[in-house]
Amino acid sequence: MKQTLNIRIVYLLVALVLPASAVLAQTKPATPPNIILIMVDDMGYSDLGAYGSEINTPNIDRLAYEGLRLREFYNNSICAPTRASLLTGQYPHKAGVGYFDVNLGSPPYQGFLNRESPTLGEVLRKGGYRTLLSGKWHVGNDSLSWPRQRGFDRFFGVIGGGANYFNTDPMPLGGRAYPVVILEDNKRYKPATNDYYFTDEITNHAVQFLDEQRSSQTTGNTRPFFLYLAYTAPHWPLQARPEDIAKYKGKYNQGWDVLRAQRLAQQVKLGLITQQQADAAAVRDAEIPDWNNLTYEQKDLWQRKMEVFAAMLTRADEGVGQVLDKLKAIGQDQNTLVVFISDNGAPAEDVAHRGPRAANNKGPVGTAGSFESQGKNWSYVSNTPFRSFKGFAYEGGISSPFIAWYPSKIKAGRIAKGTAHLIDLAPTFYELAGVSYPATLNGTTPHALPGRSLTSLLFGGEQVQRDEPIFWERAGNRAVRRGKWKLVSIYPSYQWELYDLEADRGETQNVASRNPLVVDQLSRLYFEWAARNGVVDYDTIKPATPLLPQRTGARASVNE
């Protein structure tokens, strides 16, 4: 009798633990998968069809509907620090890019990746992968820090933060014209024809690299590959092919308020947010005008901007489709994990009317001679349902779509909470690849990885379990996320705000005064993290000319 009871207890315990472990065992690949990591630039949380948008993105949406979407995935609010974490699995200061790709005089702010932070390319290549990069680098301008010197077998793209789309002319920034360095491996690249469009070049080289992968396989080389596909689109300058712009003619004549309401409703319908969260969505920025108060000429200009922005994103989506088609053509579509994210929220920059850029804006919006951005008026829509913009630590600056696609391994149509961060991708890829993170590399001892593998989450198991919160600091903007709580302060203020993100991801109700113990606990953890990562008071290292405006202009939240 006692033996029978013990057996039943064992069976019960097995039944309780089987679902997550069984799912993981049944879906985790038996052989190392290929990995494609796709990142777009300056795209907001709601700009994909699968995240609530009217923009036509069928190929990326296919990945979403056939794979997994996360409601909560975080970046570092701006280009270079995001890429530092993405490529190394480190917080940006630990990797050497705590501010941007400029050297502010100390190792955490040196502006290029340090050797103690191995890249995905270095670790995966050491583990037997062929490593490929097409697109934007932005984590080291000196040739010693270029992709081929940091672990990538093939590279095409721009070394710095951006480029014109129809030519390789210098980019105006801060009163100077900065050369645009576009490389093919380590050689300068010059367009061969007048049909050059940078998004297409990024796609074409990615497809070329996959063709080379097929050629190597036919000669007996069975190495898996890692492809990092880093589009600059839809980052300004707003420039798109006329036929793409034409697809959106008249699409935005209702203005930003109507469009944001439509996206909110679609996000609820898709199951990305609850109706309660939609009702608590961030209010319109005080500096964004009422659409109905604009003149006809103003409306025409703003419509054109969003038409071009949408066209740029659609062209990148078509590129994703070409890469997926090539993946199938080389017979690797069933053994490839594809992950899609954006590097930060949509921006508030109005580049056509700031400093020397105004004089450089020489053509209609969307053409090769124009230099425009969508501005905060449309970025308010792109970042639905969140508050604020690129460069800031509110949800609108640090939230990204996250899509993972892996046929027969990831269940189609899943939406999970996630609460994951860029630092989680490196341990995820290394676990799936069966590659050990090195104890030493090229005579250097790497920093330990702070992130957590998302493998169980991808394959239907439990949420990410963390020993400590997620942290942010960039240009004096600080934040901590633990559980439902988010602590945040926006430079130049150092006053902490506290939000319950389960009920209020729009960050409209500051509950710091009602929860002083939570504020104290999270702020203590923040300062401990800052000390470990070399974060310093922004006022001590602030450049003479900040790269971005230092206030969001957003309407203040309610303090309770």
Side-chain angles (χ1 to χ4, degrees):
M1 179 74 174
K2 183 177 180 181
Q3 183 178 11
T4 302
L5 180 60
N6 288 340
I7 291 173
R8 288 176 177 172
I9 292 173
V10 170
Y11 283 161
L12 178 60
L13 291 174
V14 170
L16 288 172
V17 302
L18 183 60
S21 59
V23 168
L24 189 59
Q26 292 169 11
T27 56
K28 188 175 179 180
T31 58
N34 307 304
I35 301 169
I36 298 179
L37 173 59
I38 305 171
M39 186 159 69
V40 292
D41 202 335
D42 280 13
M43 186 196 80
Y45 183 82
S46 75
D47 279 327
L48 298 174
Y51 275 79
S53 179
E54 72 296 328
I55 298 174
N56 190 33
T57 54
N59 297 292
I60 301 170
D61 292 347
R62 172 197 159 197
L63 298 176
Y65 295 132
E66 293 181 3
L68 167 71
R69 279 169 288 173
L70 296 185
R71 296 183 180 94
E72 297 182 2
F73 184 83
Y74 289 114
N75 52 54
N76 290 334
S77 87
I78 196 168
C79 309
T82 279
R83 291 160 208 278
S85 289
L86 180 75
L87 283 163
T88 67
Q90 302 294 333
Y91 281 111
H93 308 78
K94 202 74 167 179
V97 191
Y99 177 70
F100 214 60
D101 66 334
V102 292
N103 194 336
L104 299 186
S106 66
Y109 299 91
Q110 66 186 23
F112 58 91
L113 298 180
N114 56 45
R115 293 292 168 176
E116 293 77 20
S117 302
T119 69
L120 293 169
E122 288 169 322
V123 176
L124 289 172
R125 184 165 71 177
K126 186 177 177 62
Y129 274 69
R130 189 163 180 262
T131 53
L132 316 167
L133 197 171
S134 187
K136 178 174 171 176
W137 180 238
H138 208 197
V139 285
N141 296 316
D142 187 88
S143 61
L144 294 176
S145 299
W146 288 354
R148 287 297 302 273
Q149 286 69 265
R150 292 307 308 259
F152 287 91
D153 295 312
R154 295 301 312 273
F155 171 67
F156 168 80
V158 62
I159 292 298
N164 293 297
Y165 288 85
F166 288 108
N167 56 57
T168 58
D169 293 349
M171 294 273 284
L173 184 64
R176 296 172 57 190
Y178 286 84
V180 172
V181 178
I182 295 179
L183 302 178
E184 194 168 39
D185 294 324
N186 280 333
K187 296 180 179 179
R188 293 293 290 263
Y189 177 84
K190 292 293 185 182
T193 71
N194 292 328
D195 195 41
Y196 173 87
Y197 186 70
F198 191 42
T199 298
D200 293 342
E201 292 298 313
I202 292 171
T203 298
N204 294 341
H205 279 80
V207 169
Q208 173 191 329
F209 295 162
L210 293 182
D211 270 328
E212 293 169 0
Q213 178 73 14
R214 174 167 57 181
S215 297
S216 68
Q217 290 171 340
T218 60
T219 59
N221 187 344
T222 58
R223 293 168 63 194
F225 67 85
F226 167 67
L227 169 63
Y228 174 31
L229 180 56
Y231 286 109
T232 55
H235 191 295
W236 47 262
L238 296 181
Q239 297 173 353
R241 292 191 182 277
E243 62 268 28
D244 292 333
I245 299 172
K247 298 172 185 176
Y248 292 97
K249 186 66 176 176
K251 189 78 172 180
Y252 298 101
N253 58 11
Q254 292 178 298
W256 31 78
D257 288 320
V258 171
L259 191 63
R260 182 168 165 110
Q262 291 173 350
R263 289 195 182 187
L264 269 175
Q266 184 66 6
Q267 288 175 330
V268 173
K269 183 178 179 180
L270 290 170
L272 292 165
I273 63 174
T274 66
Q275 187 59 55
Q276 179 187 14
Q277 290 172 327
D279 293 340
V283 296
R284 174 160 33 100
D285 189 297
E287 295 179 7
I288 298 174
D290 187 318
W291 179 261
N292 293 324
N293 290 339
L294 300 182
T295 66
Y296 174 83
E297 290 76 15
Q298 289 171 327
K299 288 180 179 179
D300 185 63
L301 172 62
W302 282 106
Q303 287 179 65
R304 180 73 173 182
K305 287 186 177 187
M306 194 60 188
E307 290 167 4
V308 178
F309 177 87
M312 294 169 71
L313 185 54
T314 291
R315 176 63 64 158
D317 177 83
E318 291 173 359
V320 171
Q322 293 177 45
V323 170
L324 294 176
D325 289 344
K326 180 57 65 175
L327 189 65
K328 185 174 182 178
I330 66 174
Q332 294 297 315
D333 56 315
Q334 296 301 304
N335 189 40
T336 300
L337 168 68
V338 179
V339 170
F340 176 94
I341 59 174
S342 179
D343 67 339
N344 43 250
E349 299 110 324
D350 193 0
V351 298
H353 304 288
R354 193 175 73 213
R357 289 197 180 104
N360 203 57
N361 194 23
K362 299 176 181 177
V365 180
T367 64
S370 69
F371 208 99
E372 294 272 4
S373 64
Q374 71 270 41
K376 67 170 55 178
N377 296 3
W378 286 120
S379 290
Y380 155 72
V381 175
S382 291
N383 294 336
T384 303
F386 304 133
R387 174 183 182 180
S388 194
F389 310 97
K390 168 186 174 181
F392 298 97
Y394 289 125
E395 294 290 282
I398 62 176
S399 296
S400 165
F402 176 96
I403 297 168
W405 177 86
Y406 194 165
S408 76
K409 302 295 191 300
I410 292 177
K411 183 180 178 181
R414 283 182 58 221
I415 300 178
K417 183 178 180 181
T419 317
H421 186 274
L422 296 162
I423 59 172
D424 301 323
L425 293 181
T428 303
F429 295 160
Y430 299 156
E431 181 179 359
L432 288 173
V435 173
S436 298
Y437 187 67
T440 61
L441 185 67
N442 300 324
T444 300
T445 301
H447 297 308
L449 292 173
R452 294 292 176 265
S453 174
L454 305 178
T455 302
S456 179
L457 176 62
L458 295 182
F459 298 140
E462 66 272 6
Q463 291 289 116
V464 183
Q465 302 298 316
R466 298 187 184 279
D467 298 327
E468 64 176 16
I470 302 171
F471 299 96
W472 292 265
E473 192 283 333
R474 200 268 161 188
N477 300 302
R478 312 173 298 172
V480 184
R481 174 71 194 271
R482 184 173 69 176
K484 71 176 185 178
W485 295 115
K486 180 179 173 187
L487 191 70
V488 60
S489 71
I490 301 300
Y491 184 85
S493 171
Y494 289 100
Q495 183 69 41
W496 289 115
E497 303 166 14
L498 182 69
Y499 298 98
D500 175 357
L501 295 192
E502 287 185 1
D504 181 26
R505 278 198 81 190
E507 294 168 299
T508 63
Q509 302 292 323
N510 177 11
V511 296
S513 63
R514 290 166 44 190
N515 299 275
L517 291 180
V518 176
V519 173
D520 289 346
Q521 291 168 359
L522 295 183
S523 62
R524 175 180 58 81
L525 292 172
Y526 170 82
F527 288 114
E528 291 173 355
W529 168 83
R532 293 195 305 271
N533 284 270
V535 179
V536 300
D537 188 327
Y538 181 54
D539 285 322
T540 67
I541 51 108
K542 186 169 81 169
T545 305
L547 294 171
L548 292 172
Q550 293 302 298
R551 291 297 294 172
T552 65
R555 190 176 302 170
S557 61
V558 175
N559 295 290
E560 292 189 348

